[in-house]
Amino acid sequence: MPDAGRFSGKGVIVTGAARGIGEAVAERFVSEGARVLLVDVLPEVEATAARLGQPWLLQDVAAPGAGEAIAAAALGALGRIDVLVNNAGIGGSKRLEDSDDALIDRFLATNLAAVLKVTRGVLPHLPRPGGRIINVSSIFGITGYPGTTAYAVAKAGVAQFTRQLAGELAPEGILVNAVAPGLIATPMTTGHRQNALYTRLIVEGTPVERLGTPADIAGPVAFLASEDAAFVTGIVMPVDGGFLAARHGKI
């Protein structure tokens, strides 16, 4: 259950916060007392932020200077930055032979390079000790699945970035972790969830026998940002209903 005061006085940035996982993560932090800057390229971020009573920024995380722009907006609106949640990303990848240069570049720019660049822009403003960075990877950054090449490679890069940065920043008191969601019911996964083969392999193959929800991801993110995780850094936590641990026996 949320702790209404666990993040009281903290400033949090959540990218990709207009809907889906990002919206749920922002809502969780607000419910626990944080002030949150919601960042997204989608105009609906304004309505989401208004519902939560929080500031917002319309920003493409892959644009030049996005990290510095996000940091400046957060400092102006929140006064401080304690937690960065790199959630923004795109879906719809293809098999490699069906991927043109534009598709590959788009996935690597948004789902990987932007995570590095936004983090670089925000990093100077995180407290030492006490700063937290939580990245959103994917189970497809850990295990392969046909037809997701550029997406999977980018998310694997996010996982390795998490481990790399954790080692660099731990001596300064900044902890860096990631979550790796399984199949979550969000607008971005609608197409996958309408695919019969995908549903059989992923949904029916999940031991808990259900889709994940955005709230299922928000809880672990909040944990990793909290003092309960003060001795945790460099992990990529699967939040997948047991999919990576054991495929369901019905398959």
Side-chain angles (χ1 to χ4, degrees):
M1 295 294 292
D3 178 342
R6 182 160 61 161
F7 297 110
S8 179
K10 301 290 188 180
V12 179
I13 297 170
V14 180
T15 68
R19 61 188 189 180
I21 290 172
E23 178 181 8
V25 168
E27 185 168 7
R28 180 63 180 257
F29 276 111
V30 171
S31 75
E32 298 200 26
R35 288 280 290 162
V36 180
L37 176 69
L38 286 78
V39 180
D40 210 299
V41 71
L42 298 175
E44 63 198 84
V45 68
E46 181 178 3
T48 303
R51 180 178 67 81
L52 297 177
Q54 301 298 312
W56 57 278
L57 177 67
L58 191 66
Q59 174 68 56
D60 180 355
V61 295
E68 291 74 17
I70 291 169
L75 291 172
L78 309 175
R80 59 186 292 164
I81 305 169
D82 298 280
V83 180
L84 169 63
V85 181
N86 285 306
N87 167 72
I90 58 173
S93 187
K94 299 179 180 180
R95 294 172 61 87
L96 182 61
E97 56 264 42
D98 299 324
S99 303
D100 58 18
D101 287 355
L103 183 145
I104 292 171
D105 291 347
R106 185 167 70 253
F107 272 90
L108 294 180
T110 302
N111 288 6
L112 179 57
V115 176
L116 276 68
K117 294 175 182 179
V118 169
T119 301
R120 183 185 62 192
V122 171
L123 187 56
H125 309 288
L126 290 172
R128 294 160 167 80
R132 299 287 191 272
I133 299 169
I134 298 100
N135 302 316
V136 178
S137 181
S138 169
I139 58 169
F140 295 149
I142 299 173
T143 188
Y145 183 81
T148 65
T149 305
Y151 176 87
V153 168
K155 288 299 187 179
V158 170
Q160 182 57 25
F161 173 62
T162 298
R163 291 184 284 264
Q164 177 71 25
L165 202 62
E168 294 178 3
L169 296 181
E172 300 178 33
I174 295 176
L175 306 183
V176 187
N177 293 290
V179 293
L183 182 60
I184 308 301
T186 69
M188 194 173 82
T189 63
T190 299
H192 290 306
R193 290 183 280 119
Q194 293 172 344
N195 181 296
L197 177 61
Y198 190 94
T199 297
R200 179 173 180 268
L201 293 177
I202 306 298
V203 181
E204 295 180 13
T206 297
V208 300
E209 298 186 311
R210 69 170 176 85
L211 291 172
T213 69
D216 288 326
I217 307 303
V221 170
F223 162 72
L224 291 172
S226 76
E227 286 305 307
D228 289 335
F231 200 56
V232 179
T233 197
I235 70 164
V236 181
M237 179 192 295
V239 188
D240 64 354
F243 179 82
L244 291 177
R247 303 296 191 271
H248 198 285
K250 291 192 299 184
I251 296 301

